[in-house]
Amino acid sequence: MDLLKGDLEVDNVRLQFDVRRSSLWKTRSLSSVVNLGFKMVDSQYYLPNDIGVSALDCGEAFRLLSPQEKKYAHYLSRAAWYGGLAVLLQTSPESAEIFVLLQRIFRKQAPSQLAQVATAAGLSSEEYQAFLVYAAGLYANMGNYKSFGDTKFIPNLPKDKLEALVKASQAFQEQPAEMEALWNSCSCLLYSLEDKQKQLGLGDKGITTYFSGNCCLEDAELAQKFLDSQKLSAYNTRLFKRNNGGKACYEVRLASAVKADCAAEGECESCCGNFNFEDKEFAVKRGDYAPLMEKVCYYLQQAQTHAANENQRKMLEEYRRSFTLGSVDAHKEGSRYWIKDKGPIVESYIGFIESYRDPFGSRGEFEGFVAVVNKAMSERFAKLVSSAEVLLPELPWPRAFEKDTFLKPDFTSLDVLTFAGSGIPAGINIPNYDDIRQSEGFKNVSLGNVLAVAYSTQKEKLTFLAEDDKDLFIKWKGPSFEVQVGLHELLGHGSGKLFVQDDQGKFNFDQSKVVNPETGEPVSSWYRGSETWDSKFSTIASSYEECRAECVGLYLCLKKQVLSIFGHEGQDAEDVVYVNWLSMVRAGLLGLEFYTPESKSWRQAHMQARFVILCVLLEAGEGLVSLEEITGQDGKPDARITVDRSKIHTVGKNAIHSFLCKLQILKSTADVEGGRFLYDFYSTVSDSGAHNFLRLRETVLLRKETRKLFVQANTRVNGENVDLVEYEGSVAGLISSFTERFQDDADQLEANLLEMSKNDSPCWS
């Protein structure tokens, strides 16, 4: 999980909910719309020419590694980068083709060389910059949908101008037939903004390649039941539905290097085969992303020879087995060795990890990271870990709802060398496997060099804050976020017990004694057999859990002991608390950017979570949080949000205490109906009630600042040494990093991507 749910006073909540949900979508103002060619395009669907781009600095950390550690980091990075290309195929039908088109253009001509071609083809400097920004955005997001928000982005220049540039490029001149076919295949979807294609989603709500185009929510639910019956995880799967003589047939496809469905070497029996479930046919098959999984396995094997210890070697062996056979069980075994690998100098994790972008919330997107420990910052997190057993009892739920034993994890601050996938978080708490987290442990990491550049803000670009708050916000945003990340990952995601009855009927809690504090009645629901948090709470699971972790951070940052661990005392400590709470409610307002009124759905788990917290704190009343609509100095709609710092420790603390307890009780008891009711209520965006959130959303879109793109270094073996190849923090630098990243086998790799994309293409129509 990365940073960034008895008696719920049901009658009162339902009354408020009925009032708040009576909303009508207003006609969109043209303030967030620009002229693109001959049509009007909403600005949220392109990336601005002045988008922020920052290089992730890991030079000093990498140079301090030993030769063995550098080679270990290098081969792990290669595995991560090749596996990360699977995200193209997990994002949209056209992403892989667009990626190949860009790679072929930039492999022949660097951005500086292509500029002259662009001018000759009739592009203005602004239009060429827009093309470079689009290319950089596609690389950084591993597809043409934003990793944070799941909206599509298109080039901010007319289609005929981009076509002219493509056809004038050296790549096109050398291979006109292939490039023409590639352009014709992807150019329509590259620019399309039909309603369904504007965002990721299932069925008529958006685009997804985790499911074939004819799948709907009912298909996803049925497939989950089938997977549970076979004790198969959905993490590394996709679902394809076809019609066979009027009968629905489903293919569950596992990500694996091996394509054969029979038992492979090292397997007692294969999980693949044909099954009849609830009068439907299911086929479990292997081979999804096979060429990419082969490369991952090859580089993991190379890394094994440079591992520092036996835990690392066994970890990589199990990962290889997982990606070879499509076995989540093997990945879980590798994760167990990973947890045991305490305090490594080079830290890493790889696999199908986070389920944020699966519309159903069960399938993992591929990611892999390699990073180097920042020892100074890690000491602070180690102190937080040492204090965890004292801090956990401070959380607002009864002892029976907390894990029987707190398994002290590693918690380190890392400088990222490689983060392959659709985006880079600020902190991570993994593995996501409930059974391992509950009984064996987990690890936390804070990504220091990401934090250093991702959240730096210029005063003139700070929106929705009072002038008096801006200087304080800029001064303490970084330190307060460091505290929030630490608490969110360690004591947020790391806390709370799930009540489980296993396949043998054994309970992990005392049914006769454990009482639901919200109802005063004995606990009456729990997880059964192979049910997990993700499989039970599905579509709300990710956001709900992020909300719970964020609430833990807000609640425990009020403790002087916590602030002291991070070096904050006296007035400084109070300022850190104030800015942390102010930052959270401001983030809740900013979260409105990631809500789609047409489908009444949220596109980003963390931002939905922060909006929920904003609503909880507004509901607390007594002047704790004030949100007002104003007119900005430019004469356009604006908003201002403030927090009464004198009421954080009283009104604010009480509100989070009550809400956080409800979230945990519902999660522990697998109360899906109660959890969904509560979370959907606070997630509702309407134009009625005390605040017109639909109108405020327009203001947020008008004044939004696009998230930064990150440029990452490459590594290259040079004899017995490994060189670090760094790039400038610009769109040109980002593009160059990607073209050089895959240059060794570019032709074969691109052919593989196009073949996989072509093979899947009939599934999307």
Side-chain angles (χ1 to χ4, degrees):
M1 300 170 190
D2 61 63
L3 194 60
L4 5 160
K5 305 189 188 176
D7 177 15
L8 294 173
E9 304 169 332
V10 168
D11 290 338
N12 181 43
V13 169
R14 282 194 178 124
L15 177 62
Q16 296 177 62
F17 181 71
D18 286 341
V19 170
R20 287 183 59 189
R21 72 178 175 181
S22 60
S23 62
L24 293 172
W25 170 231
K26 307 293 187 185
T27 302
R28 174 182 292 283
S29 71
L30 294 181
S31 59
S32 59
V33 175
V34 296
N35 192 328
L36 183 58
F38 296 100
K39 57 185 179 180
M40 303 296 281
V41 175
D42 191 319
S43 63
Q44 69 175 311
Y45 298 114
Y46 72 85
L47 304 177
N49 276 10
D50 62 351
I51 192 169
V53 185
S54 296
L56 285 183
D57 180 16
C58 62
E60 182 180 358
F62 186 79
R63 281 188 285 273
L64 292 174
L65 297 178
S66 69
Q68 179 184 351
E69 290 164 346
K70 286 180 180 179
K71 286 189 176 179
Y72 183 65
H74 166 74
Y75 289 116
L76 286 176
S77 293
R78 300 306 291 159
W81 285 123
Y82 277 94
L85 294 174
V87 177
L88 294 165
L89 300 160
Q90 292 182 297
T91 299
S92 72
E94 66 273 16
S95 285
E97 291 184 330
I98 301 171
F99 176 86
V100 173
L101 179 75
L102 295 173
Q103 287 289 87
R104 289 183 174 177
I105 290 172
F106 289 118
R107 277 199 293 117
K108 294 295 183 180
Q109 292 169 295
S112 59
Q113 297 169 315
L114 194 63
Q116 299 171 14
V117 177
T119 301
L123 277 71
S124 68
S125 59
E126 291 78 12
E127 288 169 336
Y128 181 60
Q129 176 68 11
F131 167 63
L132 295 182
V133 165
Y134 176 79
L138 185 122
Y139 287 135
N141 291 278
M142 266 292 100
N144 60 337
Y145 286 75
K146 297 174 186 175
S147 65
F148 200 87
D150 292 346
T151 50
K152 188 173 186 175
F153 58 96
I154 67 173
N156 188 20
L157 72 160
K159 183 178 178 180
D160 61 343
K161 291 290 189 75
L162 179 52
E163 182 175 10
L165 175 58
V166 169
K167 292 185 175 179
S169 68
Q170 184 179 335
F172 193 96
Q173 300 302 313
E174 293 182 3
Q175 292 184 305
E178 292 89 339
M179 290 292 286
E180 177 93 43
L182 188 52
W183 169 258
N184 289 341
S185 180
C186 69
S187 58
C188 181
L189 286 176
L190 191 152
Y191 270 96
S192 176
L193 282 177
E194 293 181 12
D195 286 345
K196 182 177 177 178
Q197 290 166 355
K198 289 179 178 178
Q199 65 282 316
L200 299 180
L202 182 59
D204 59 3
K205 290 189 175 182
I207 292 295
T208 180
T209 50
Y210 286 105
F211 299 87
S212 57
N214 56 353
C215 284
C216 61
L217 181 60
E218 289 73 19
D219 297 307
E221 291 171 340
L222 177 65
Q224 186 62 58
K225 291 179 184 177
F226 165 73
L227 290 169
D228 288 343
S229 74
Q230 296 296 314
K231 293 184 169 50
L232 284 173
S233 169
Y235 268 119
N236 66 341
T237 70
R238 293 196 289 171
L239 183 70
F240 299 89
K241 177 183 175 183
R242 58 184 174 82
N243 190 297
N244 185 10
K247 185 175 182 180
C249 300
Y250 298 91
E251 177 188 332
V252 175
R253 195 182 299 170
L254 309 177
S256 68
V258 168
K259 296 180 181 180
D261 296 330
C262 57
E265 184 179 349
E267 274 190 310
C268 297
E269 59 179 335
S270 172
C271 63
C272 299
N274 297 311
F275 307 87
N276 191 283
F277 181 79
E278 295 191 4
D279 199 33
K280 299 290 191 301
E281 291 180 13
F282 278 83
V284 179
K285 295 179 176 293
R286 287 193 174 113
D288 217 1
Y289 326 119
L292 300 178
M293 296 300 102
E294 280 185 44
K295 298 291 287 188
V296 172
C297 293
Y298 170 78
Y299 283 116
L300 290 178
Q301 187 171 25
Q302 300 301 306
Q304 269 185 284
T305 62
H306 303 285
N309 55 57
E310 194 62 19
N311 278 325
Q312 287 182 1
R313 279 186 283 274
K314 289 181 177 178
M315 170 189 80
L316 296 179
E317 184 61 39
E318 292 298 331
Y319 289 165
R320 281 179 56 217
R321 191 162 70 91
S322 172
F323 301 133
T324 298
L325 303 176
S327 168
V328 171
D329 285 341
H331 194 270
K332 291 171 74 170
E333 196 62 28
S335 297
R336 291 185 171 97
Y337 287 116
W338 179 69
I339 293 168
K340 295 174 185 176
D341 185 28
K342 302 289 187 182
I345 301 299
V346 177
E347 184 61 282
S348 68
Y349 198 63
I350 189 170
F352 296 88
I353 312 300
E354 302 294 353
S355 58
Y356 301 125
R357 300 182 93 189
D358 169 16
F360 190 67
S362 295
R363 287 153 188 80
E365 185 177 75
F366 194 97
E367 70 178 43
F369 78 83
V370 184
V372 183
V373 171
N374 180 318
K375 293 182 179 179
M377 185 61 68
S378 296
E379 287 178 7
R380 296 183 188 178
F381 291 128
K383 290 179 182 177
L384 187 64
V385 172
S386 297
S387 303
E389 289 171 291
V390 176
L391 294 171
L392 279 171
E394 299 289 336
L395 292 171
W397 48 81
R399 178 67 186 86
F401 287 76
E402 189 49 69
K403 293 173 185 172
D404 299 334
T405 305
F406 180 72
L407 303 165
K408 288 187 177 181
D410 255 10
F411 197 164
T412 50
S413 177
L414 306 174
D415 285 342
V416 171
L417 170 64
T418 294
F419 207 112
S422 66
I424 309 178
I428 316 172
N429 175 286
I430 37 183
N432 286 338
Y433 304 119
D434 291 337
D435 50 346
I436 295 179
R437 296 170 59 80
Q438 291 282 315
S439 60
E440 299 178 56
F442 52 89
K443 282 186 181 182
N444 298 276
V445 298
S446 173
L447 304 179
N449 58 343
V450 176
L451 284 169
V453 296
Y455 299 97
S456 57
T457 310
Q458 297 173 329
K459 185 175 181 179
E460 58 270 20
K461 290 189 175 183
L462 258 185
T463 54
F464 310 131
L465 295 181
E467 287 299 316
D468 292 346
D469 281 331
K470 288 184 178 179
D471 288 333
L472 204 64
F473 188 92
I474 289 171
K475 180 179 180 180
W476 293 110
K477 170 60 178 171
S480 69
F481 194 67
E482 178 186 283
V483 172
Q484 179 69 10
V485 167
L487 294 171
H488 173 116
E489 300 296 349
L490 175 66
L491 299 173
H493 292 315
S495 65
K497 182 174 182 173
L498 302 183
F499 295 151
V500 178
Q501 181 185 18
D502 65 21
D503 289 329
Q504 285 71 49
K506 183 180 178 182
F507 290 86
N508 70 342
F509 67 102
D510 190 334
Q511 283 181 285
S512 64
K513 294 182 179 179
V514 179
V515 173
N516 183 327
E518 298 291 321
T519 65
E521 301 291 330
V523 167
S524 58
S525 58
W526 46 82
Y527 299 85
R528 301 172 188 271
S530 60
E531 290 179 341
T532 66
W533 162 249
D534 280 336
S535 70
K536 284 289 283 185
F537 282 71
S538 64
T539 54
I540 67 166
S542 292
S543 184
Y544 188 117
E545 175 59 16
E546 294 304 330
C547 186
R548 194 184 69 87
E550 292 283 44
C551 286
V552 168
L554 287 181
Y555 192 75
L556 290 181
C557 82
L558 302 176
K559 299 290 179 183
K560 290 183 178 179
Q561 177 185 355
V562 169
L563 298 164
S564 181
I565 288 171
F566 287 88
H568 307 305
E569 306 283 354
Q571 185 59 46
D572 286 354
E574 288 301 312
D575 286 344
V576 166
V577 169
Y578 174 62
V579 170
N580 195 34
W581 280 62
L582 180 63
S583 178
M584 185 62 70
V585 296
R586 177 177 178 264
L589 178 60
L590 295 176
L592 288 168
E593 175 190 345
F594 303 95
Y595 177 77
T596 302
E598 294 85 349
S599 60
K600 297 183 179 179
S601 61
W602 285 89
R603 306 187 312 274
Q604 215 294 319
H606 299 79
M607 300 310 282
Q608 179 184 0
R610 292 157 187 163
F611 177 79
V612 165
I613 292 170
L614 168 62
C615 290
V616 168
L617 295 179
L618 283 168
E619 186 181 78
E622 299 187 47
L624 171 67
V625 176
S626 173
L627 173 59
E628 58 180 328
E629 296 183 66
I630 61 174
T631 300
Q633 292 182 346
D634 56 5
K636 297 176 181 178
D638 206 341
R640 181 181 296 124
I641 193 160
T642 57
V643 175
D644 185 340
R645 64 190 299 165
S646 70
K647 295 178 179 177
I648 291 175
H649 286 268
T650 53
V651 180
K653 181 181 178 181
N654 290 340
I656 294 298
H657 179 286
S658 175
F659 184 61
L660 182 53
C661 188
K662 287 181 171 66
L663 289 176
Q664 182 57 49
I665 301 309
L666 293 164
K667 179 181 179 182
S668 290
T669 59
D671 185 352
V672 179
E673 184 179 354
R676 190 174 291 278
F677 182 82
L678 177 73
Y679 204 66
D680 285 349
F681 165 59
Y682 284 108
S683 297
T684 302
V685 178
S686 78
D687 58 0
S688 61
H691 300 94
N692 187 331
F693 283 120
L694 283 174
R695 190 167 63 219
L696 280 164
R697 177 180 176 273
E698 290 297 310
T699 303
V700 170
L701 288 172
L702 172 66
R703 300 187 179 277
K704 73 185 180 74
E705 183 179 1
T706 306
R707 290 172 69 85
K708 290 179 179 177
L709 306 179
F710 295 119
V711 182
Q712 299 183 60
N714 285 321
T715 53
R716 185 178 299 146
V717 174
N718 182 8
E720 292 301 309
N721 299 316
V722 177
D723 296 333
L724 185 71
V725 184
E726 297 177 281
Y727 303 86
E728 65 177 16
S730 66
V731 290
L734 200 160
I735 291 166
S736 296
S737 72
F738 267 88
T739 52
E740 294 181 17
R741 190 160 286 147
F742 302 106
Q743 61 188 359
D744 293 344
D745 60 348
D747 290 334
Q748 184 60 57
L749 176 64
E750 291 163 12
N752 288 338
L753 285 171
L754 292 179
E755 183 181 9
M756 287 186 284
S757 181
K758 181 181 178 181
N759 289 343
D760 288 344
S761 60
C763 301
W764 317 131
S765 56

